[in-house]
Amino acid sequence: MNIKPKTLKGFRDFLPKETRKRQFVINTIKSVFESYGFEPLETPALEFSDFLKGKYGEEEKLIYEFETKGKDKVALRYDQTVPLSRVIIQYQNELVFPFKRYQIQNVWRGENPQKGRYREFLQCDADIVGSSSPLSDAEILKLVLDIYKKLGLDVTIKINDRENFKDLDRKYISAIDKLEKIGESAVLSEMIDKGMTDDDAKIALKNLQEKPQTQNIKDIYSELKLLEADLNKIIYEPTLARGLDYYTGMIFETLTEGYSGSLCSGGRYDKLIGKFSGVEMPAVGFGLGFDRTLEILEEKNLINIPFSSVRLLVILNNNTKDKSLEVYQKLRNANISAELYLEENAALEKQLKYADRKNIPYVLIVKENVLELKDMSKREQKSLTIEEILKTLQ
Amino acid sequence: MNIKPKTLKGFRDFLPKETRKRQFVINTIKSVFESYGFEPLETPALEFSDFLKGKYGEEEKLIYEFETKGKDKVALRYDQTVPLSRVIIQYQNELVFPFKRYQIQNVWRGENPQKGRYREFLQCDADIVGSSSPLSDAEILKLVLDIYKKLGLDVTIKINDRENFKDLDRKYISAIDKLEKIGESAVLSEMIDKGMTDDDAKIALKNLQEKPQTQNIKDIYSELKLLEADLNKIIYEPTLARGLDYYTGMIFETLTEGYSGSLCSGGRYDKLIGKFSGVEMPAVGFGLGFDRTLEILEEKNLINIPFSSVRLLVILNNNTKDKSLEVYQKLRNANISAELYLEENAALEKQLKYADRKNIPYVLIVKENVLELKDMSKREQKSLTIEEILKTLQ
């Protein structure tokens, strides 16, 4: 075999340590979703590519598409909102509305890989379909606050109402969307480039910056108050635009100190599903950027899963093998997750190193007349009876 | 939009009820893997297709492959053993050996869809790489027994040693592999068709049927005894062949009453990884057929997750909205997973139906002067104080 084994650009292998971290964060996010009654949905990796076309604007070129041997034109999942729309139409009689679903699956985009950008990445979405109530908008915002609270990360949510842009052409919205990133004068230049006079651009931007809260935003704030959300963390920002065309009401981004992008963004999109089905179906939701969130949690040392899944490694020694296996079974029978070293002729040092590299907290050295329990973090070793060992580990 | 929303043939959407069931079974399997110190690994959905070629024999034609816009020739993950081999070679200095990994990801095969066969399906694999000890073979078999024990399904494992076939040509092995399925006379016919004389075929089969346990199988049984495995459930079957070419030692299949195929199969493959890397690397492991296992668990009514993730739905009524939200928050603050109905103008009956369809066990009806807790399974309704409700739910 002369093929050098390697991973495709923008694609990643997740070795055990990384996977365990990711699973820990996913489980935390999931538990918050579920505590609010959001239920899991999964859709296939492949969709008919026709169904994805015309949904993502310019980005459409990033879709991975191909023809199968059976001549189906297919595309890899590009986001979770379009598949959700398909599911809503396809199973409308089976689903319970308001349909509160979460979806945590990979999506694939043929982007130019760069730091923190991948071609295969995990999205965590939550949406409420079939409710136009501001209470649903408020629940979505509260859910985001609760997720980051549970993850231990301090965030601020900026919200706005798409209503504030109703008199502005779409091309100017995309300029204003960059305000935070490129600053006021660059935004003004872009608006002028796109056709406004100098004065009109200044007035349009100033008007926007001074826009008071819409009635919708006020209603959402009242609901948030009733939901005991920390209102200091949800800030009205009339220039917040969000790129996607399909938003129709409240929109939001989630920010944290020391990071320039949004961790989790979304809003209300009451027309999108209706576009596919002809029947109007209000919806509000968000996508949480898993990689960004994980990256920041790691930077801030907020992921604390020091140990392996097992509590203990039982050392294997040629002379005491039967005894090792006997003790090992006693531990397992007492419901203690215990691993047995599998190679009989390995030196003790090698076995200890194995435990160390796997972060296993305890090692049990089985000698002819004595059991020695080694605490790997304290580097302490004690002779104990099996009962004492069970007690220590339980 | 004139595109009828539909799912590709052989691909499935998993609606909430189904996804919850699947997650429950996945979590059970995972917990057993982890209790033995197997650690999670994830590899990308796409691999360089060159790396998959020449690995799957005739089945290779079922690989989904295509060229990306960036001119990479890529293929969707077809199994988890070849990606594991790649990982072993690519990260050999980072991994801890014996490397015990599990992998639970989808694979894609362009098979002709039929009952119980899909083009996208979940595989649950566990392998031990870097140990040639019979103790590792035994641990793999014990792991399978433990998984099905935890799932509540009674299974039998048939084992054999590839050594028993060492004098037989590969083409005859594939005939004998069908013994259970097509019976002795059909197997003999096939062997004769493939070139044996009548007598030789009969002798070859009889010889095989009478083969005593190899020393390797005897060693594995001794280890299994020390691991307190139920030896009645692990049966030596000298005609068991297993299709795949790459096995070098112990092979096994897992059977259950009332189902003709194998639920979980595997064996030792000491040469496969070395083929890629040039360095020999012993390995033993298995793939568990998730769909088959799930199907049987469902048939036998062994999946018992009657309730939703939330304990309670708080009814929303226009006149008592503030009170509803207040009680709802009190419950959440007491760490009770509670859902709030989000539409203000819905009739009580509609809200109760929502709880019923989502399998939410309790509903809280908030009236002006009283809280009424309805037990949805008993169809019982009681007036309670908030303290009494907290007590009931905790």
Side-chain angles (χ1 to χ4, degrees):
Chain A
M1 291 285 142
N2 290 316
I3 304 146
K4 195 178 171 279
K6 59 182 178 191
T7 321
L8 278 155
K9 223 172 157 186
F11 288 76
R12 292 167 288 173
D13 291 309
F14 297 112
L15 301 188
K17 227 180 214 167
E18 191 64 20
T19 308
R20 293 191 72 236
K21 251 187 245 165
R22 293 171 66 86
Q23 284 187 352
F24 173 80
V25 175
I26 290 168
N27 287 340
T28 306
I29 295 171
K30 227 187 233 181
S31 71
V32 185
F33 284 159
E34 299 212 330
S35 81
Y36 278 89
F38 285 78
E39 296 195 298
L41 174 73
E42 286 180 10
T43 64
L46 294 178
E47 297 270 351
F48 283 104
S49 53
D50 274 351
F51 195 75
L52 304 194
K53 294 296 180 63
K55 308 294 186 296
Y56 304 111
E58 240 182 59
E59 290 193 2
E60 187 170 301
K61 61 178 191 291
L62 303 179
I63 295 176
Y64 280 96
E65 44 177 337
F66 63 101
E67 195 175 279
T68 66
K69 280 160 191 159
K71 301 292 172 205
D72 283 324
K73 283 186 178 133
V74 300
L76 283 167
R77 187 170 48 236
Y78 182 83
D79 77 347
Q80 300 183 125
T81 310
V82 172
L84 169 65
S85 310
R86 182 182 54 68
V87 164
I88 297 291
I89 305 164
Q90 210 168 321
Y91 308 92
Q92 44 192 312
N93 300 322
E94 288 170 59
L95 300 174
V96 187
F97 291 95
F99 181 50
K100 292 164 70 170
R101 86 88 176 78
Y102 71 87
Q103 195 168 345
I104 302 178
Q105 292 189 281
N106 279 329
V107 300
W108 294 272
R109 298 182 183 177
E111 307 221 41
N112 225 356
Q114 43 180 291
K115 196 192 167 289
R117 285 242 163 171
Y118 305 99
R119 289 178 169 175
E120 174 178 66
F121 58 96
L122 194 70
Q123 277 202 334
C124 307
D125 286 14
D127 294 82
I128 302 169
V129 179
S131 164
S132 50
S133 144
L135 189 53
S136 296
D137 298 71
E139 179 166 280
I140 284 291
L141 295 167
K142 179 78 189 309
L143 177 60
V144 174
L145 284 184
D146 273 14
I147 287 171
Y148 284 101
K149 193 176 169 191
K150 192 140 187 198
L151 290 171
L153 186 67
D154 201 32
V155 298
T156 304
I157 296 180
K158 288 199 173 171
I159 65 167
N160 193 15
D161 193 329
R162 264 293 173 105
E163 178 73 10
N164 284 337
F165 294 93
K166 74 172 190 294
D167 301 325
L168 264 180
D169 191 278
R170 186 191 284 187
K171 62 187 175 188
Y172 302 119
I173 300 179
S174 74
I176 292 165
D177 192 35
K178 299 174 197 155
L179 190 61
E180 188 101 1
K181 231 188 225 165
I182 63 177
E184 201 167 305
S185 64
V187 166
L188 287 172
S189 305
E190 193 176 325
M191 290 169 81
I192 294 161
D193 283 352
K194 283 180 168 169
M196 274 198 184
T197 67
D198 209 86
D199 277 359
D200 281 355
K202 274 184 191 153
I203 290 166
L205 187 59
K206 190 155 181 280
N207 265 344
L208 202 57
Q209 284 166 328
E210 288 171 357
K211 285 249 182 193
Q213 290 180 13
T214 58
Q215 186 55 45
N216 176 36
I217 293 290
K218 283 182 192 160
D219 289 347
I220 294 170
Y221 270 116
S222 326
E223 305 292 11
L224 281 166
K225 203 176 162 190
L226 289 171
L227 292 175
E228 295 177 20
D230 184 347
L231 298 184
N232 294 320
K233 296 199 179 301
I234 303 173
I235 295 158
Y236 172 65
E237 172 55 70
T239 60
L240 177 77
R242 300 285 309 132
L244 286 167
D245 279 347
Y246 57 60
Y247 290 117
T248 56
M250 183 274 289
I251 48 176
F252 75 93
E253 290 189 343
T254 309
L255 308 166
T256 191
E257 234 180 83
Y259 182 77
S260 67
S262 170
L263 293 179
C264 175
S265 323
R268 179 165 282 284
Y269 52 99
D270 286 349
K271 310 281 181 193
L272 183 71
I273 298 169
K275 254 196 200 173
F276 303 142
S277 66
V279 181
E280 202 148 299
M281 184 67 93
V284 59
F286 64 82
L288 183 150
F290 184 77
D291 285 309
R292 293 177 190 186
T293 296
L294 189 72
E295 198 186 306
I296 294 164
L297 291 174
E298 287 198 277
E299 264 174 36
K300 304 204 171 181
N301 255 320
L302 291 168
I303 306 178
N304 294 308
I305 40 162
F307 295 135
S308 78
S309 59
V310 297
R311 301 272 291 139
L312 169 121
L313 176 76
V314 177
I315 294 294
L316 199 61
N317 180 310
N318 281 351
N319 309 323
T320 52
K321 183 179 160 189
D322 287 17
K323 198 173 166 197
S324 275
L325 268 77
E326 190 194 320
V327 175
Y328 167 68
Q329 270 313 126
K330 270 198 187 138
L331 292 165
R332 291 199 67 85
N333 293 343
N335 273 321
I336 290 164
S337 290
E339 188 174 346
L340 177 69
Y341 194 81
L342 294 168
E343 292 282 288
E344 280 172 57
N345 298 309
L348 176 62
E349 206 183 336
K350 193 178 173 188
Q351 300 189 46
L352 289 174
K353 203 175 163 196
Y354 175 90
D356 208 32
R357 289 192 65 195
K358 281 188 90 169
N359 282 318
I360 301 175
Y362 291 96
V363 162
L364 185 65
I365 300 159
V366 180
K367 295 185 176 166
E368 248 171 276
N369 300 309
V370 69
L371 300 175
E372 287 181 356
L373 188 69
K374 189 177 174 98
D375 182 321
M376 293 298 282
S377 57
K378 293 192 194 150
R379 300 272 150 192
E380 253 176 38
Q381 193 163 328
K382 276 186 210 163
S383 295
L384 296 173
T385 64
I386 180 74
E387 289 73 25
E388 288 167 330
I389 290 166
L390 286 170
K391 221 173 144 188
T392 307
L393 296 176
Q394 263 156 349
Chain B
M1 291 284 141
N2 290 317
I3 306 144
K4 197 178 169 281
K6 57 181 179 190
T7 320
L8 278 154
K9 224 172 154 184
F11 289 77
R12 292 166 289 172
D13 292 308
F14 296 113
L15 300 189
K17 227 179 213 168
E18 192 64 20
T19 308
R20 293 189 71 235
K21 252 187 244 161
R22 293 171 66 86
Q23 283 186 353
F24 173 81
V25 175
I26 290 168
N27 287 339
T28 305
I29 296 171
K30 225 187 235 182
S31 72
V32 184
F33 284 159
E34 299 213 332
S35 81
Y36 278 89
F38 285 78
E39 297 195 295
L41 174 73
E42 287 180 10
T43 64
L46 294 178
E47 296 271 352
F48 282 104
S49 53
D50 274 352
F51 196 74
L52 304 195
K53 294 296 181 61
K55 309 294 186 298
Y56 303 112
E58 239 182 62
E59 290 194 0
E60 187 169 302
K61 62 176 190 292
L62 303 178
I63 296 176
Y64 280 97
E65 42 177 338
F66 63 100
E67 196 176 277
T68 66
K69 281 161 190 160
K71 301 290 171 207
D72 284 324
K73 284 185 178 136
V74 300
L76 283 168
R77 187 167 51 234
Y78 183 85
D79 77 347
Q80 299 183 123
T81 310
V82 173
L84 169 65
S85 310
R86 181 182 55 68
V87 164
I88 297 292
I89 305 163
Q90 208 168 324
Y91 307 93
Q92 46 192 310
N93 299 322
E94 288 168 60
L95 300 174
V96 187
F97 290 94
F99 181 50
K100 293 165 69 170
R101 84 88 175 80
Y102 71 89
Q103 195 166 346
I104 303 178
Q105 292 189 279
N106 279 327
V107 300
W108 294 271
R109 298 181 184 178
E111 307 221 41
N112 226 356
Q114 45 180 289
K115 197 193 166 289
R117 284 241 162 172
Y118 305 100
R119 290 179 169 174
E120 174 178 66
F121 58 95
L122 195 70
Q123 278 201 335
C124 306
D125 286 15
D127 294 83
I128 302 169
V129 179
S131 163
S132 50
S133 145
L135 189 53
S136 296
D137 298 71
E139 178 165 282
I140 284 290
L141 296 168
K142 178 80 189 310
L143 178 60
V144 174
L145 284 185
D146 273 14
I147 287 171
Y148 285 101
K149 192 175 172 193
K150 191 139 187 199
L151 290 171
L153 187 68
D154 201 34
V155 298
T156 304
I157 297 179
K158 289 199 172 170
I159 66 168
N160 192 15
D161 193 328
R162 264 294 172 106
E163 178 74 11
N164 284 337
F165 296 92
K166 73 170 191 295
D167 301 324
L168 263 181
D169 191 277
R170 187 191 287 187
K171 60 188 175 188
Y172 303 118
I173 300 178
S174 74
I176 292 165
D177 192 34
K178 299 175 198 153
L179 189 60
E180 187 100 3
K181 231 189 226 164
I182 63 177
E184 200 166 306
S185 64
V187 166
L188 287 173
S189 305
E190 193 175 324
M191 290 169 80
I192 294 160
D193 284 350
K194 285 181 168 169
M196 274 197 183
T197 67
D198 210 84
D199 278 357
D200 282 354
K202 274 185 194 154
I203 291 167
L205 187 59
K206 188 149 181 286
N207 264 344
L208 204 55
Q209 283 165 329
E210 287 170 358
K211 285 248 180 195
Q213 290 182 13
T214 59
Q215 186 55 44
N216 176 37
I217 293 289
K218 283 183 193 159
D219 290 347
I220 295 171
Y221 271 115
S222 328
E223 305 293 8
L224 280 166
K225 201 174 164 193
L226 289 171
L227 292 174
E228 295 176 20
D230 183 348
L231 299 185
N232 294 319
K233 296 196 178 302
I234 303 172
I235 295 157
Y236 173 65
E237 171 55 70
T239 60
L240 177 77
R242 301 281 313 128
L244 285 167
D245 279 347
Y246 57 59
Y247 291 115
T248 56
M250 182 274 290
I251 47 177
F252 75 94
E253 290 188 346
T254 310
L255 308 166
T256 192
E257 231 179 86
Y259 182 78
S260 68
S262 170
L263 294 178
C264 175
S265 322
R268 179 165 283 286
Y269 51 99
D270 285 350
K271 309 279 181 197
L272 184 70
I273 298 169
K275 254 197 201 173
F276 303 143
S277 67
V279 181
E280 203 148 301
M281 181 68 90
V284 60
F286 64 83
L288 181 150
F290 184 77
D291 285 309
R292 294 176 188 187
T293 297
L294 189 71
E295 199 186 306
I296 293 164
L297 291 174
E298 287 198 276
E299 265 175 34
K300 305 205 170 182
N301 255 320
L302 289 168
I303 306 177
N304 292 309
I305 42 162
F307 294 134
S308 78
S309 60
V310 297
R311 300 273 291 139
L312 169 121
L313 175 76
V314 177
I315 294 294
L316 199 61
N317 178 310
N318 281 350
N319 310 322
T320 53
K321 183 179 160 188
D322 286 18
K323 200 176 164 195
S324 277
L325 268 78
E326 192 194 319
V327 175
Y328 168 67
Q329 269 314 127
K330 269 196 188 141
L331 293 164
R332 290 199 68 86
N333 294 343
N335 273 323
I336 291 165
S337 290
E339 188 175 346
L340 177 68
Y341 195 80
L342 293 169
E343 293 282 286
E344 280 172 57
N345 298 309
L348 176 62
E349 206 185 334
K350 192 177 174 189
Q351 301 189 43
L352 288 175
K353 202 174 164 197
Y354 175 90
D356 209 32
R357 290 193 62 194
K358 280 187 89 169
N359 281 320
I360 302 175
Y362 291 96
V363 162
L364 186 65
I365 300 159
V366 180
K367 295 184 175 165
E368 247 171 275
N369 300 308
V370 70
L371 300 174
E372 287 181 354
L373 189 70
K374 189 180 174 93
D375 182 321
M376 293 298 282
S377 58
K378 294 190 195 151
R379 298 275 152 189
E380 251 175 38
Q381 193 163 327
K382 275 186 210 161
S383 295
L384 296 173
T385 65
I386 180 75
E387 289 73 27
E388 287 167 333
I389 291 167
L390 285 170
K391 222 174 143 187
T392 307
L393 296 176
Q394 263 157 349

